[in-house]
Amino acid sequence: MLLYIHFPFCVQKCKYCAFYSQVLVPEMVEIYEQALLQEIDFWARNLGSRQIESIYLGGGTPSLCSLSFLKQVLEKIHHYFKVPSPIEFTLEANPESCKKEQVKGWYQLGVNRVSLGIQSFTEENLKLLGRIHSLKESRKAYYLLRQAGFKNINFDLMFGLPGQSVGKWLEEVKMGVSLRPEHFSCYGFTLEPGTYFAEKEKDYLWPLEEEVAKMYLYGAEYLESAGYLQYEISNYARMGYNAQHNVGYWEGVDFLGLGPSAVSTIGQKRWQNPPNIKQYALEVEQGFKGLKVERIEGIKEVNEMVMLSLRTCKGLSLKKFRQKTGLNFTQIFQKSLEVLYNKGLISFRKGYVRLTRPGLLLSDSIIPQFFLEEGLCPDGDKS
Amino acid sequence: MDIKKIRNFSIIAHIDHGKSTLADRILEITGLIGDREKKDQYLDKMDLERERGITIKAQTVRIPYRAKDGQEYILNLIDTPGHVDFSYEVSRSLAACDGALLVVDATQGVEAQTLANVYLALDHDLEVLPVLNKIDLPSAEPERVIAEIEEGIGLDVENISMVSAKTGEGVPELLEKIVQFIPPPKGDRDAPLKALIFDSWYDPYVGVVVLFRVIDGTISLGEEILMYSTGKTYEVIRLGVFSPEAVSIDQLGPGEVGFLCANIKELKDARVGDTITHPKRPTQSPFPGFKKIKPMVFCGLYPVDPGDYEDLKFALEKLQLNDSSLFFEAETSQALGFGFRCGFLGLLHMEIVQERLEREFKVNLIATAPSVVYKVVKVSGEIVNVDNPAKLPPPVEIAAIKEPYVRMEIYVPNEFVGNVFKLCEEKRGIQKDLRYLTPSRVIVTYELPFAEIVYDFFDRLKSVTRGFASLDYEVIDFRESDLVKLDILINGSPVDAMATIVHRDKAYYKGRALALKLKKVIPRQLFEVVIQAAIGNKIIARERIAPLRKNVTAKCYGGDITRKRKLLEKQKEGKKRMKKMGNVEVPQEAFLSVLKADE
């Protein structure tokens, strides 16, 4: 199983972020830390000594997390679960919080992959997004990480920002590439309801759909030419550096999420912890009696497999689909497949169907076409 | 029952002038219904009617009334449908009466339907008592309206009643006038039975319920009766009156109004207008026989979900049980699949049926734009009726196309007359008459192609006259016109359900407007969509919907999966409500655009 740990605190909320996070207040951090340690105990008792495939510390801003707490967490995890060595262990970090001692500490505790929230290589856009770091801090963070010995670093970048042109975006990608990280996540800007940008949408000049599409396509081409292979809608890596944790999600591997708002899926059961820290702590205290469990089986399970695997460049295994459903994918969706194939939006390779790059750009319109519906129940579903 | 103590009457009025409210007040003041059981507007049975403030099915009540002269009378209030679509039914109801109350809103004045109904009543030699309603409202203008009734309609206003149906003011006096001025029925008790069917409906428990008025003779429980036009005989198993609930009675004589049940299975065996008599001693002077009601407006009704076809069929069959004027037959459209071609008396009738299908039977519908019936004269000399534009024969086979025309009377304050002219001219109308009802109100008479009013005429009239106009129309004849079929093509394929028949002079304008409208309602797709309007092989308008370039969720990790899946599933659900035309997904509203392209 994959292990995700959520650290919900930030110095300041970014203007585009819709995640549940809150400003770092010592009293709240204390409640959080106590509860999280208790939660590990709880799941250890209930799940037994499982093997962990990867660890991911996300947020919020987990780079704000204290080293002593992190140490306690890891000790417990190693104590209760089977943790193979080596294991991919990612930590999300914001450039401004990558202090020398901190970075060294992470490395010593076994973190071996850092996902750096660069977001943009222009001061203008950083300010626009409400980020608190500067370009200089981004560079400095990167060198500190390298100095500390990190050999697997990801850059998070955003495109489709107000005022951004295709050319300006490619400049940013180029700047990122010149630093030679192992991995890029390039996210198209999304207006999330409830965020500052959603409220002030009309005050900004947003690039046209056609422009954003070009940013995506040209950006991907540039990255590939620089040796970063696309393996998912928003993810690119040098050979051998795909994020195993995230690939796990798309392959449907079980995952345990710790911390407020974290989601878990284990053995077809899915649940989410309360996002509010106090409620979360209470829930842990009471042994998760109030959790609502969603069962991921039958059509839901199949549709998720289709949805997640078609996000990846590997695509959907026709064999796996048949094993899960007893149905022949190419047969039941022949009409849609033909049309999409003729328009160059999908391709077939070695028993897989996948979306081409223009197809990925339209994935939300394409994927639902391959969803099963009630009544067309897969054979495997006994319910 | 002493025939001299019976008064049979209807209330005639324009929509909203207070017919149903007045009926309720009469029932209440005569003590027939108490406050507790009084739902507002007792006589309008169906929710839909109440909502629209109109009466679709006639309901009749027998009201015992002790007049000021100390005598007991029987007042039979025969309710009539109040809309032009149901004019035949109105005429049959009036034929069962000896008098009528003409209700005119004192704040509005005489309207188109008022006059049409008055003439119908006078045709049947009814005593018409004018009633001025809503006199309690500050905006009432009794003098002006009385002048309209006197000068415009030519009615004697000496006996006019001033009432407020809402408060009951003036209603007791009105009841006395009914007794005093409406003549009692005439009839020969010993003559052969002759009774007029003026309403009938299907009840799932007792079969067809027949409402009738006895003219001559008597009708008794257990007797055998003969329906004159069908020649079928039945045994009367239930006989009674509504007062207002059903009350059983053993015999009804001349002048009386009642209902019967006789194990009649189908509405068409007890048609409004038919004569009931005795098989052993039939009347020698039956009523002229019922008019076969021809549907005038047609449209295609299709289930959104093809799986609902049987449900739709069932629902239409159910509705037809009580609405013999509703016509339907199976129809297949390339665009919409299996559905029904449905025929209606008029536009209101069509709307009511569509609403009942969706509301009472929960069938999700796609309705195609309504069409009138065209008479197509083929080169071969054969004449075919075409009620579906998609079925128009190829141009080479057509010698001429004739379209139905209506004569329309529009009542309008004279400041809006110019606007009415403009609208009617735009709709290919021919002005026939213009006269002043009063110095400030005008009756304009036009002859118009029916097809032109099927679209947006009523709404347009309302807006150009700020709601002050009223109208009445009847179909008069078929006339040859220069008509062409306007096709809509989506990505090169004609969409049969969007074809319309239009006048050649308007085809270009209409084609362009329609293509533009479709461009607005069809969402962008994965591929380019080209919408074309064509007459024959000639493309007259073209619009392009650019393909979607980007629809993607940037992030989807562990915590996003459920939300994301639900979002995409919902999207798929939404698409199911669209019709797939080739690769193009077309929303329901696109089919109605044909109606509203002018907006």
Side-chain angles (χ1 to χ4, degrees):
Chain A
M1 93 187 161
L2 317 170
L3 183 69
Y4 175 81
I5 302 164
H6 191 72
F7 185 85
F9 302 99
C10 286
V11 174
Q12 179 186 308
K13 196 163 184 83
C14 301
K15 285 181 183 170
Y16 55 88
C17 177
F19 283 108
Y20 183 84
S21 66
Q22 75 158 72
V23 177
L24 196 85
V25 180
E27 297 86 65
M28 291 307 283
V29 176
E30 201 171 312
I31 295 173
Y32 160 78
E33 291 183 351
Q34 285 306 316
L36 193 99
L37 294 170
Q38 223 178 320
E39 193 187 6
I40 301 173
D41 295 338
F42 177 84
W43 291 116
R45 279 199 303 277
N46 282 276
L47 297 174
S49 172
R50 297 210 176 196
Q51 164 128 337
I52 290 173
E53 319 285 344
S54 62
I55 304 171
Y56 194 105
L57 187 49
T61 312
S63 46
L64 294 175
C65 169
S66 80
L67 287 173
S68 58
F69 170 63
L70 196 54
K71 194 167 171 231
Q72 275 178 284
V73 169
L74 290 167
E75 274 168 4
K76 268 194 191 294
I77 289 167
H78 280 272
H79 177 71
Y80 289 130
F81 300 103
K82 289 187 193 115
V83 184
S85 183
I87 183 173
E88 182 189 275
F89 183 178
T90 307
L91 180 134
E92 280 179 358
N94 278 357
E96 76 280 356
S97 52
C98 291
K99 303 283 183 270
K100 198 170 181 177
E101 287 311 306
Q102 198 77 1
V103 169
K104 247 199 241 167
W106 298 338
Y107 192 76
Q108 279 161 9
L109 286 169
V111 175
N112 51 27
R113 183 173 181 272
V114 173
S115 177
L116 205 51
I118 304 266
Q119 311 311 349
S120 173
F121 280 108
T122 73
E123 298 287 6
E124 193 189 344
N125 285 344
L126 288 174
K127 206 176 147 203
L128 179 83
L129 293 169
R131 298 292 293 190
I132 51 171
H133 68 272
S134 65
L135 215 55
K136 209 171 144 190
E137 281 173 310
S138 291
R139 289 211 172 84
K140 197 176 156 202
Y142 179 71
Y143 292 128
L144 275 174
L145 288 167
R146 285 297 193 211
Q147 265 170 25
F150 285 101
K151 296 192 174 54
N152 187 353
I153 295 175
N154 167 56
F155 285 176
D156 269 356
L157 291 179
M158 282 170 112
F159 64 94
L161 303 179
Q164 198 175 40
S165 64
V166 179
K168 279 185 184 166
W169 163 242
L170 290 176
E171 283 300 312
E172 298 210 29
V173 179
K174 210 168 168 182
M175 235 183 279
V177 166
S178 69
L179 294 170
R180 304 303 295 165
E182 281 67 33
H183 192 285
F184 279 95
S185 295
C186 299
Y187 297 115
F189 183 87
T190 311
L191 267 182
E192 297 286 354
T195 60
Y196 168 88
F197 278 117
E199 248 170 68
K200 305 271 176 180
E201 187 182 353
K202 288 192 185 103
D203 299 351
Y204 292 91
L205 189 64
W206 299 93
L208 298 173
E209 183 184 286
E210 188 60 39
E211 293 292 295
V212 181
K214 279 181 186 163
M215 291 181 201
Y216 180 78
L217 297 174
Y218 297 172
E221 269 172 41
Y222 184 84
L223 285 168
E224 280 205 346
S225 71
Y228 298 90
L229 303 182
Q230 185 175 15
Y231 66 100
E232 193 256 2
I233 285 175
S234 306
N235 286 288
Y236 306 81
R238 278 162 59 188
M239 198 74 90
Y241 287 94
N242 290 3
Q244 286 162 36
H245 186 85
N246 291 341
V247 169
Y249 289 135
W250 303 322
E251 287 183 348
V253 178
D254 278 357
F255 54 95
L256 177 65
L258 304 174
S261 84
V263 175
S264 305
T265 305
I266 288 176
Q268 296 191 316
K269 287 181 189 163
R270 179 172 300 157
W271 65 89
Q272 180 175 23
N273 289 349
N276 179 288
I277 291 169
K278 283 186 175 163
Q279 277 171 12
Y280 159 72
L282 194 70
E283 199 65 53
V284 174
E285 192 87 16
Q286 295 172 348
F288 290 101
K289 283 200 176 69
L291 274 193
K292 284 199 194 93
V293 173
E294 182 192 7
R295 296 208 61 110
I296 307 299
E297 56 195 6
I299 287 171
K300 274 189 195 173
E301 188 188 357
V302 174
N303 287 352
E304 284 192 357
M305 174 180 77
V306 169
M307 173 180 90
L308 294 171
S309 58
L310 287 179
R311 290 185 67 86
T312 68
C313 297
K314 195 168 157 193
L316 170 71
S317 159
L318 300 175
K319 196 174 147 196
K320 204 169 156 193
F321 185 85
R322 180 165 225 159
Q323 281 167 355
K324 266 232 156 79
T325 64
L327 300 169
N328 183 333
F329 187 86
T330 48
Q331 208 169 17
I332 59 174
F333 295 117
Q334 190 193 357
K335 246 178 141 179
S336 296
L337 288 169
E338 258 175 39
V339 175
L340 294 167
Y341 182 81
N342 289 334
K343 298 282 176 181
L345 297 174
I346 58 164
S347 68
F348 295 91
R349 191 177 56 186
K350 292 181 186 162
Y352 282 80
V353 58
R354 60 195 186 97
L355 306 191
T356 61
R357 202 167 280 149
L360 289 173
L361 203 43
L362 290 164
S363 49
D364 283 0
S365 296
I366 296 173
I367 288 168
Q369 297 184 25
F370 302 126
F371 275 2
L372 296 181
E373 283 169 53
E374 297 297 337
L376 189 65
C377 216
D379 291 353
D381 183 20
K382 302 279 191 304
S383 60
Chain B
M1 184 74 232
D2 181 359
I3 195 168
K4 294 199 171 59
K5 298 288 164 58
I6 301 174
R7 299 291 182 272
N8 292 329
F9 69 101
S10 279
I11 305 176
I12 53 183
H14 186 74
I15 291 173
D16 286 342
H17 279 204
K19 184 171 85 172
S20 298
T21 316
L22 179 59
D24 286 346
R25 214 53 66 228
I26 290 175
L27 298 191
E28 199 186 303
I29 286 171
T30 54
L32 203 59
I33 52 167
D35 274 341
R36 247 183 324 122
E37 46 190 315
K38 177 189 89 193
K39 272 195 241 150
D40 252 353
Q41 307 201 343
Y42 185 87
L43 291 182
D44 286 0
K45 272 193 180 164
M46 285 186 275
D47 282 356
L48 207 61
E49 291 181 9
R50 190 159 301 145
E51 242 168 61
R52 288 165 176 264
I54 54 157
T55 313
I56 303 165
K57 264 315 204 205
Q59 306 288 336
T60 284
V61 199
R62 175 174 169 135
I63 308 162
Y65 174 64
R66 179 187 286 273
K68 293 239 169 74
D69 62 10
Q71 308 269 358
E72 292 286 345
Y73 289 86
I74 291 293
L75 310 182
N76 286 313
L77 167 56
I78 295 170
D79 200 19
T80 55
H83 190 271
V84 57
D85 285 356
F86 306 97
S87 64
Y88 180 69
E89 284 164 327
V90 175
S91 85
R92 291 304 84 194
S93 292
L94 294 180
C97 299
D98 303 295
L101 309 183
L102 169 68
V103 177
V104 182
D105 186 332
T107 68
Q108 304 282 327
V110 173
E111 307 275 4
Q113 279 158 27
T114 321
L115 202 67
N117 286 334
V118 169
Y119 290 154
L120 260 178
L122 295 175
D123 282 350
H124 287 95
D125 290 327
L126 303 191
E127 181 66 36
V128 177
L129 291 182
V131 178
L132 211 56
N133 189 20
K134 306 193 188 178
I135 53 156
D136 57 316
L137 294 183
S139 54
E141 295 175 82
E143 277 113 69
R144 172 180 73 84
V145 178
I146 290 172
E148 280 186 8
I149 295 171
E150 190 166 24
E151 292 156 32
I153 310 180
L155 275 185
D156 184 2
V157 291
E158 208 178 309
N159 289 326
I160 197 159
S161 302
M162 311 277 266
V163 308
S164 163
K166 204 170 130 209
T167 65
E169 185 188 345
V171 177
E173 293 78 3
L174 173 62
L175 287 166
E176 284 299 311
K177 280 189 183 144
I178 291 170
V179 169
Q180 209 180 331
F181 294 107
I182 292 179
K186 295 187 196 81
D188 182 353
R189 200 176 181 85
D190 301 319
L193 171 65
K194 177 184 175 185
L196 170 69
I197 300 179
F198 63 85
D199 195 9
S200 59
W201 65 86
Y202 182 84
D203 181 287
Y205 297 103
V206 298
V208 175
V209 180
V210 179
L211 275 185
F212 61 91
R213 142 107 192 245
V214 182
I215 309 294
D216 292 319
T218 59
I219 184 167
S220 306
L221 189 67
E223 264 181 357
E224 198 171 40
I225 52 164
L226 170 74
M227 293 297 174
Y228 207 90
S229 71
T230 62
K232 291 186 184 170
T233 58
Y234 303 92
E235 187 195 330
V236 178
I237 56 167
R238 192 155 177 216
L239 189 67
V241 296
F242 289 106
S243 190
E245 305 303 334
V247 179
S248 289
I249 275 181
D250 288 339
Q251 192 182 58
L252 289 168
E256 290 195 89
V257 170
F259 72 89
L260 66 80
C261 305
N263 271 332
I264 304 170
K265 298 281 186 297
E266 284 185 82
L267 215 51
K268 66 174 165 51
D269 288 329
R271 280 272 166 90
V272 169
D274 201 358
T275 307
I276 306 172
T277 188
H278 286 137
K280 288 187 185 129
R281 192 172 159 240
T283 174
Q284 296 307 306
S285 57
F287 285 93
F290 56 90
K291 195 163 95 184
K292 187 149 173 30
I293 306 169
K294 278 195 213 124
M296 294 308 301
V297 179
F298 287 79
C299 79
L301 294 181
Y302 291 82
V304 172
D305 179 351
D308 289 346
Y309 176 81
E310 285 300 325
D311 290 350
L312 176 57
K313 189 175 167 201
F314 173 80
L316 283 167
E317 280 167 355
K318 278 270 164 195
L319 283 182
Q320 202 180 38
L321 282 178
N322 260 326
D323 183 354
S324 54
S325 52
L326 170 64
F327 162 88
F328 69 92
E329 65 182 12
E331 173 183 79
T332 316
S333 151
Q334 285 162 2
L336 301 175
F338 294 105
F340 297 92
R341 193 80 194 156
C342 300
F344 310 93
L345 295 177
L347 293 169
L348 178 82
H349 188 211
M350 179 176 81
E351 271 180 50
I352 288 168
V353 169
Q354 286 181 14
E355 262 188 63
R356 291 190 64 189
L357 287 171
E358 301 221 58
R359 190 188 303 197
E360 293 170 33
F361 297 94
K362 313 259 181 268
V363 187
N364 245 324
L365 288 179
I366 294 182
T368 65
S371 165
V372 300
V373 184
Y374 295 91
K375 288 193 185 300
V376 177
V377 184
K378 289 177 125 181
V379 180
S380 63
E382 188 194 351
I383 297 175
V384 287
N385 286 331
V386 173
D387 59 36
N388 180 352
K391 303 250 167 73
L392 195 70
V396 288
E397 291 178 23
I398 298 174
I401 304 176
K402 293 181 174 176
E403 62 176 333
Y405 264 69
V406 298
R407 175 181 291 114
M408 181 182 285
E409 290 193 330
I410 301 169
Y411 286 55
V412 62
N414 57 3
E415 69 235 66
F416 299 118
V417 165
N419 293 348
V420 171
F421 285 176
K422 222 176 118 197
L423 176 64
C424 289
E425 305 292 318
E426 185 194 306
K427 298 289 183 186
R428 297 192 280 136
I430 306 155
Q431 195 186 321
K432 285 292 173 188
D433 192 19
L434 170 76
R435 60 195 178 92
Y436 279 83
L437 193 59
T438 63
S440 62
R441 279 166 63 82
V442 181
I443 310 176
V444 191
T445 308
Y446 264 90
E447 288 176 4
L448 291 144
F450 193 15
E452 295 286 346
I453 64 169
V454 158
Y455 290 108
D456 55 355
F457 189 86
F458 301 119
D459 292 341
R460 292 279 303 282
L461 181 68
K462 223 177 190 173
S463 76
V464 301
T465 62
R466 286 200 229 124
F468 282 110
S470 67
L471 63 81
D472 192 53
Y473 69 87
E474 58 172 340
V475 176
I476 45 171
D477 54 13
F478 280 78
R479 296 179 193 174
E480 190 172 329
S481 298
D482 189 8
L483 300 171
V484 291
K485 185 169 118 188
L486 179 64
D487 280 313
I488 293 294
L489 292 82
I490 292 183
N491 281 357
S493 310
V495 181
D496 54 2
M498 290 184 187
T500 46
I501 292 173
V502 295
H503 195 267
R504 189 182 300 275
D505 293 350
K506 293 182 156 192
Y508 279 83
Y509 166 74
K510 184 107 196 184
R512 274 195 293 271
L514 193 47
L516 198 66
K517 175 85 187 199
L518 286 171
K519 178 184 173 147
K520 283 182 195 151
V521 297
I522 297 176
R524 288 200 298 158
Q525 325 252 322
L526 290 179
F527 324 108
E528 181 181 60
V529 178
V530 174
I531 300 155
Q532 291 164 305
I535 301 169
N537 291 325
K538 195 170 162 201
I539 303 294
I540 58 169
R542 184 183 192 277
E543 294 289 341
R544 172 182 179 269
I545 302 173
L548 195 64
R549 284 286 277 141
K550 182 180 91 63
N551 183 21
V552 56
T553 304
K555 286 187 188 185
C556 189
Y557 301 113
D560 312 313
I561 299 172
T562 290
R563 190 171 68 112
K564 180 74 194 155
R565 188 198 69 236
K566 284 185 178 161
L567 216 72
L568 294 185
E569 278 171 351
K570 211 169 145 193
Q571 193 178 315
K572 177 159 189 159
E573 255 330 282
K575 287 217 168 142
K576 267 167 70 184
R577 290 184 59 86
M578 298 202 203
K579 279 281 167 185
K580 215 158 177 174
M581 235 133 286
N583 295 327
V584 184
E585 274 146 351
V586 181
Q588 274 167 276
E589 59 193 299
F591 294 93
L592 277 181
S593 313
V594 183
L595 260 178
K596 292 174 177 161
D598 291 349
E599 278 167 13

